[in-house]
């Protein structure tokens, strides 16, 4: 145990930062989380997350939250339908997984965040606190300056601030690059009642229709919503090049229908009949491997450390595992700097392996000759 607790700041209240905070507090180590969002409900948290046993679920066990997670999770969400562009099932004989059997489980992002937030001591998260800069004080401590003008000094600053981390530049020169793959997101509210055809096509979990380097990916959440992603390779400025603004729903819809021309009507209906509003989600990744030289008083976890495309390992699960492991190291070493070193020694090779796997998945995905592999047959 640490005799005098160091002053620890976690930047970012995503799955990784909140898991780290929870495991620290559970072991009696004080921590403050600084989050850009103005409040827990300031922005929609997005769709559903698949968490597997070895990463996200293992972290939730370390956080003492597994039972609560299991009550919220949807093992049926692991059902995956893989179709081609004619809406023909590619693996009709693939066994429907018994709920829970494969060890994967889906949970809504918002519910996961709520579960983690509710487990923290009230006041742990300082909402509306955007980290602007860090000033090294020369003895491992850093002064953190926030957008609202206040500044504080910490013994350890943990960058859990996602893809565009403000902590990462203190440790490495790496910046995320566009992977060449874009997701365009839309969805269906109350799909079972308002969009029964789409609900039937997607089934209880997720559906992925793929052909000739393009895909339509649809995933259910616990509130009857279906989130739809049109995925393709192309310029990051594809909308601009097509002469449309993302805010012009019907113009974006027309461009997407044109891109997927020739696909089965049932699949095109997903593009045509969704509730509208399209969000552009170009995929970015950090170089592989992304490493840094140990620097007293600073470290990274989750996407800040190893942003990778969502084509293989579960990014949120990895972030949560990082958070739990870092917290465990901090509670298991007398010297916080030794703890961070031990964490980084395990993290960097683990992250490199996962990122290589994701990079291979990206290289194979959405290409005209992409190998057909059932998602449950993922290679490690
Ligand atoms: C389309 C898509 C689908 C995905 N599906 C899955 C899936 O099924 N399963 C899965 O496990 N992963 C999935 N992922 C990946 C997953 O979303 C990320 O890997 C995960 O959210 C990373 O968690 P994190 O805690 O590291 O960072 P984030 O979730 O990005 O959280 C970072 C937090 O830091 C805050 N922040 C940022 N900058 C600052 C600052 N300067 N000051 C203060 N706060 C700041 C942000 O507001 C945010 O709350 C998917 C990703 C994409 C793009």
């Amino acid at each position: 145990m640490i005799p005098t607790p160091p002053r620890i700041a976690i930047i970012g209240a995503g799955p990784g930062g909140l898991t780290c905070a929870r495991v620290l507090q559970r072991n009696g180590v004080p921590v403050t989380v600084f989050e850009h969002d103005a409040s827990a409900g300031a922005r929609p948290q997005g769709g559903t997350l698949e968490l597997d046993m070895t990463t996200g679920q293992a972290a939730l066990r370390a956080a003492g939250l597994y039972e609560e997670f299991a009550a919220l999770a949807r093992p049926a969400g692991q059902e995956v339908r893989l179709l081609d562009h004619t809406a023909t099932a590619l693996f009709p004989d693939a066994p429907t997984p018994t709920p829970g059997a494969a060890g994967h489980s889906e949970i809504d992002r918002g519910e996961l965040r709520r579960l983690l937030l509710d487990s923290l001591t009230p006041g742990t998260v300082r909402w509306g606190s955007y980290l602007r800069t860090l000033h090294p004080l020369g003895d491992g401590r850093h002064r953190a300056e926030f957008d609202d003008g206040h500044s504080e000094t910490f013994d350890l600053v943990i960058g859990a601030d996602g893809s565009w981390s403000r902590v990462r530049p203190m440790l490495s020169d790496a910046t995320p690059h566009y992977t060449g793959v874009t997701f365009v997101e839309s969805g269906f509210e109350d799909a079972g009642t308002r969009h029964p055809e789409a609900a039937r096509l997607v089934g209880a979990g997720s559906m992925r229709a793929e052909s000739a380097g393009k895909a339509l990916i649809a995933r259910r959440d616990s509130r009857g919503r279906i989130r739809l992603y049109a995925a393709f390779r192309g310029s990051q400025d594809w909308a601009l090049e097509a002469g449309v603004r993302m805010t012009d729903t019907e113009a974006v819809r027309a461009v997407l229908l044109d891109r997927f021309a020739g696909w089965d009507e049932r699949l095109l209906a997903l593009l045509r009949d969704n509730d509208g509003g399209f969000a552009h989600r170009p995929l970015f990744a950090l170089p592989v491997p992304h490493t840094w030289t140990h620097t007293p008083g600073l470290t990274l976890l989750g996407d800040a450390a190893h942003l990778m495309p969502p084509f293989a390992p579960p990014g949120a699960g990895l972030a949560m595992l990082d958070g739990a492991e870092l917290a465990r190291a901090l509670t298991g070493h007398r010297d916080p700097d030794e703890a961070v070193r031990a964490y980084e020694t395990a993290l960097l090779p683990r992250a490199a392996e996962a990122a290589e796997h994701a990079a291979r998945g990206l290289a194979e995905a959405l290409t005209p000759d992409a190998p057909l592999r059932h998602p449950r047959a993922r290679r490690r």
Side-chain angles (χ1 to χ4, degrees):
M1 285 295 296
I2 305 164
T4 313
R7 293 205 64 205
I8 301 178
I10 295 175
I11 310 299
L18 291 177
T19 304
C20 188
R22 161 68 182 173
V23 178
L24 284 172
Q25 282 190 347
R26 206 174 171 226
N27 288 282
V29 179
V31 60
T32 307
V33 180
F34 295 89
E35 167 56 46
H36 183 203
D37 289 349
S39 67
R43 69 182 159 96
Q45 287 300 301
T48 157
L49 287 173
E50 180 184 298
L51 297 184
D52 70 17
M53 283 200 297
T54 56
T55 61
Q57 292 184 36
L60 286 162
R61 284 185 196 279
L65 297 172
Y66 182 78
E67 302 306 324
E68 288 92 329
F69 161 76
L72 293 169
R74 291 174 298 110
Q78 55 183 288
E79 184 184 312
V80 182
R81 293 184 178 173
L82 204 59
L83 313 177
D84 68 9
H85 68 292
T86 68
T88 304
L90 290 174
F91 296 94
D93 300 329
T96 306
T98 312
H104 304 262
S105 220
E106 301 264 333
I107 184 167
D108 293 1
R109 271 176 193 268
E111 288 191 337
L112 177 65
R113 197 186 214 196
R114 173 55 52 208
L115 172 67
L116 289 164
L117 283 172
D118 286 351
S119 75
L120 298 175
T121 309
T124 301
V125 179
R126 302 248 200 106
W127 300 100
S129 299
Y130 182 79
L131 176 76
R132 176 64 52 198
T133 39
L134 285 168
H135 298 282
L137 299 179
D139 52 1
R141 292 179 309 141
H142 289 80
R143 195 175 77 251
E145 286 185 7
F146 296 89
D147 243 14
D148 59 9
H150 93 279
S151 66
E152 285 181 56
T153 297
F154 296 98
D155 300 301
L156 175 61
V157 177
I158 299 169
D161 48 347
S163 321
W164 304 102
S165 170
R166 304 289 295 197
V167 181
R168 187 172 54 227
M170 301 292 294
L171 292 170
S172 116
D173 292 334
T175 50
H177 60 271
Y178 174 55
T179 59
V181 171
T182 278
F183 279 28
V184 184
E185 181 181 336
S186 188
F188 300 84
E189 290 293 327
D190 197 8
T193 314
R194 295 178 55 238
H195 302 281
E197 296 293 326
R200 259 194 298 279
L201 188 66
V202 173
S206 62
M207 180 225 78
R208 181 181 174 110
E210 183 162 352
S211 176
K214 287 174 286 200
L216 290 176
I217 302 162
R219 299 172 85 177
R220 267 185 196 267
D221 75 9
S222 67
R223 291 162 198 249
R225 275 183 297 233
I226 293 176
R227 212 159 281 266
L228 175 72
Y229 301 96
F232 49 86
R233 286 183 183 272
S235 150
Q236 198 187 331
D237 297 325
W238 66 275
L240 203 66
E241 287 165 9
V244 297
R245 282 200 303 267
M246 290 308 296
T247 47
D248 187 344
T249 296
E250 293 317 312
V252 174
R253 198 189 297 285
V255 172
L256 292 177
L257 283 165
D258 190 46
R259 265 189 185 259
F260 286 81
W263 283 41
D264 185 89
E265 261 312 306
R266 284 164 292 177
L267 294 167
L268 291 181
L270 294 176
L271 291 173
R272 189 177 294 118
D273 300 339
N274 61 60
D275 293 334
F278 288 97
H280 183 204
R281 309 224 181 277
L283 300 184
F284 286 83
L286 280 166
V288 182
H290 174 235
T291 60
W292 61 89
T293 305
H294 173 74
T295 304
L298 295 175
T299 195
L300 302 173
L301 63 78
D303 279 5
H306 46 66
L307 177 65
M308 56 187 90
F311 282 99
L318 289 174
M320 293 166 72
L321 183 66
D322 294 352
E325 299 274 285
L326 174 55
R328 274 205 286 230
L330 285 164
T331 55
H333 285 76
R334 291 182 67 79
D335 175 2
D337 191 52
E338 265 178 39
V340 173
R341 271 184 198 280
Y343 157 76
E344 290 173 344
T345 301
L347 166 80
L348 292 176
R350 178 174 78 225
E353 192 189 335
E356 276 162 24
H357 183 209
R360 280 198 303 277
L362 175 77
E364 288 179 353
L366 303 173
T367 54
D369 48 359
L372 293 175
R373 189 181 293 122
H374 193 273
R376 291 276 169 252
R378 286 169 175 169
R379 294 167 313 159
R380 282 282 167 201

